[in-house]
């Protein structure tokens, strides 16, 4: 089968969940608040619960993949998400809202990046894999652009936000049917190259572009390495900044005297650049080590946050839009590829799931920013602090080397872990 066909199904899930969850909920919340007479704090709690459930559920897809396969993972995830959206469509109380967002977050974890990367690792040849992964993240990014448009269309059609949740609730089962018909439930490695031809990752900055690690790390050993800690720190801080930008960038620019229309337009352009940068990252990976892509991403993220801190004129607003969005999108791709490059593909569902679990801490970004802004009267210093934190991880990333197994013995030409 043409690999682009299953790729389209897997990517459609990512487009779907990005369009149906965070961006849609953020735009739909004001309508829900007006209709149901909730406070901002009450409504925001549901949004936080959505983010929390995505993180704490991140190890579940790895468990389900090993036991039921890819099809079961997507099927269960789509069913859970649709159940959550049904609760949201009929919600009249905060309890219903919390149940709905919790289910949506749980389902998100089951159908998003963990099963997708596992599928790509086992069906796409290593030299082509970064291109597919970059395209996958790009499609997901455009889901975030489409979500607000879907909310606007639903409200314009019926005058109510409830139609939105019925629409996205019905899309999940349709995608699940396509997954059942098309995807290989337990894909076997189709990498197209022998592991003996790949570098072991025992020296240098990273594996060569288009090759994968010969030594396949276990989950337990990989999460104990300094390199895993650096990569996950980069993921967490990037998401810390990203979630904060999504929550407060427009408000901050308005506080700086920027017209609302200009701030909203800038934020829309920000989403577009974010989506496009992901595809470019996958394309560049065939020519540049993922480590250096991450270095560029973190540098641009830091510059973008500094620009946002003083964004009150076209130059600084434009600098923020280009650098922060590009850095965020490129970081998502670079960190995903680095986890594959450094630790191999065998335990990637567990490794990637664990990284997502840790990055749940990023949900605190908007809360801390809001608290600091209320305390000191401005978001500007908060964004500077975030930028400095990213810069620290940037320095660690520059000096990062590919991890070396602590104890190995050569069997032929290939390293093999020695039990402690």
């Amino acid at each position: 089968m043409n690999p682009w066909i299953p790729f389209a199904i897997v990517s459609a899930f990512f487009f779907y969940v990005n369009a149906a969850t965070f961006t849609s909920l953020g735009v739909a919340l004001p309508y829900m608040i007006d209709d149901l007479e909730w406070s901002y704090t009450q409504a925001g709690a549901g949004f936080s619960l959505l983010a929390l459930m995505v993180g704490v559920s991140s190890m579940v897809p790895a468990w389900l993949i090993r036991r039921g396969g890819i099809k079961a993972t997507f099927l269960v995830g789509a069913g859970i998400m649709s159940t959550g959206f049904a609760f949201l469509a009929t919600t009249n109380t905060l309890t219903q809202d919390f149940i709905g967002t919790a289910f949506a977050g749980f389902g998100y974890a089951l159908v998003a990046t963990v099963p997708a990367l596992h599928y790509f690792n086992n069906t796409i040849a290593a030299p082509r894999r970064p291109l597919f992964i970059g395209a996958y993240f790009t499609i997901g990014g455009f889901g975030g652009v489409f979500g607000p448009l879907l909310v606007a269309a639903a409200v314009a059609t019926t005058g109510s936000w409830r139609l939105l949740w019925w629409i996205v609730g019905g899309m999940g089962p349709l995608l699940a049917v396509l997954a059942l018909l098309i995807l290989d439930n337990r894909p076997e490695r189709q990498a197209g190259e022998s592991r003996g031809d790949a570098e072991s990752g025992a020296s240098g900055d990273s594996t060569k572009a288009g090759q994968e690690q010969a030594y396949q790390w276990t989950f337990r050993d990989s999460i104990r390495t300094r390199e895993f800690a650096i990569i996950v720190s980069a993921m967490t801080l990037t998401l810390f900044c990203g979630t904060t930008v999504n929550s407060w960038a427009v408000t901050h620019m308005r506080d700086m005297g920027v017209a609302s229309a200009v701030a909203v337009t800038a934020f829309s352009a920000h989403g577009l650049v974010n989506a496009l940068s992901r595809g470019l990252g996958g394309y560049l990976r065939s020519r540049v080590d993922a480590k250096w892509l991450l270095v560029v991403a973190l540098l641009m993220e830091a510059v973008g946050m500094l620009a946002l801190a003083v964004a009150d004129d076209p130059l600084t607003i434009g600098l923020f839009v280009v650098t922060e969005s590009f850095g965020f999108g490129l970081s998502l791709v670079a960190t995903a590829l680095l986890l594959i490059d450094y630790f191999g593909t065998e335990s990637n569902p567990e490794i990637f799931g664990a990284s997502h679990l840790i990055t749940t801490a990023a949900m605190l970004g908007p809360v801390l920013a809001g608290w600091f802004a209320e305390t000191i009267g401005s978001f500007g210093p908060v964004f500077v602090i975030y930028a400095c934190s990213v810069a620290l991880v940037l320095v660690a990333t520059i000096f990062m080397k590919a991890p070396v197994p602590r104890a190995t013995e050569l069997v032929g030409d290939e390293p093999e872990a020695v039990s402690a």
Side-chain angles (χ1 to χ4, degrees), residues 305-343:
M305 295 303 291
L306 290 174
L308 178 58
V310 294
D312 61 356
D313 61 79
L315 178 61
T316 52
I317 292 174
L319 184 62
F320 152 68
V321 167
V322 173
T323 56
E324 198 284 328
S325 58
F326 195 94
F328 182 87
L330 185 60
S331 177
L332 291 182
V333 177
T335 50
L337 293 174
L338 267 175
L339 290 176
I340 297 172
D341 288 349
Y342 280 3
F343 304 111

Side-chain angles (χ1 to χ4, degrees), residues 51 78 83 92 122 190 257 291 300 326 328 348 363 398 415-416:
T83 301
N92 288 300
N122 287 278
Q190 302 290 330
K291 165 189 162 178
M300 297 187 77
F326 195 94
F328 182 87
N348 186 257
M363 65 176 288
I398 291 174
E416 185 175 277

Side-chain angles (χ1 to χ4, degrees), residues 53-67 73 106 109-110 114-115 219-220 223 228 347-358 360:
M53 286 302 297
V54 172
V56 300
S57 305
S58 293
M59 293 299 293
V60 178
W63 179 88
L64 192 53
I65 288 169
R66 302 299 187 192
R67 287 158 180 79
T73 306
F106 189 14
L110 290 176
V114 174
F219 169 66
R220 183 178 180 182
I223 63 174
F228 177 83
S347 298
N348 186 257
E350 291 80 7
I351 293 170
F352 211 71
S355 68
H356 275 200
L357 179 62
I358 296 170
T360 305

Side-chain angles (χ1 to χ4, degrees), residues 15-16 18-20 23-24 140-153 164 167-168 171:
F15 179 94
Y16 163 61
N18 279 288
T23 55
S24 289
F142 278 112
V145 176
F146 177 76
L149 300 178
L150 184 60
V151 178
L164 164 72
I167 292 173
V168 296
M171 292 169 63

Side-chain angles (χ1 to χ4, degrees), residues 217 220-230 343 403-404:
W217 288 73
R220 183 178 180 182
D221 287 342
S222 63
I223 63 174
R224 293 178 174 182
T225 63
R226 178 178 58 186
E227 292 75 19
F228 177 83
I230 293 173
F343 304 111
V404 180

Side-chain angles (χ1 to χ4, degrees), residues 125-149:
R128 302 175 64 195
R129 193 181 301 141
L131 178 63
F132 277 76
I133 292 177
Y136 167 80
F137 276 105
T138 299
I139 292 170
F142 278 112
V145 176
F146 177 76
L149 300 178

Side-chain angles (χ1 to χ4, degrees), residues 165-201:
W165 303 122
W166 287 123
I167 292 173
V168 296
M171 292 169 63
L174 293 177
L175 290 174
V177 170
L178 292 176
L180 288 173
L181 293 175
I182 294 175
L183 298 184
D184 184 353
N185 194 43
R186 295 186 182 277
E188 295 186 6
R189 175 177 296 273
Q190 302 290 330
E193 76 285 330
S194 66
R195 289 182 186 168
D197 291 335
E199 293 185 349
S200 68

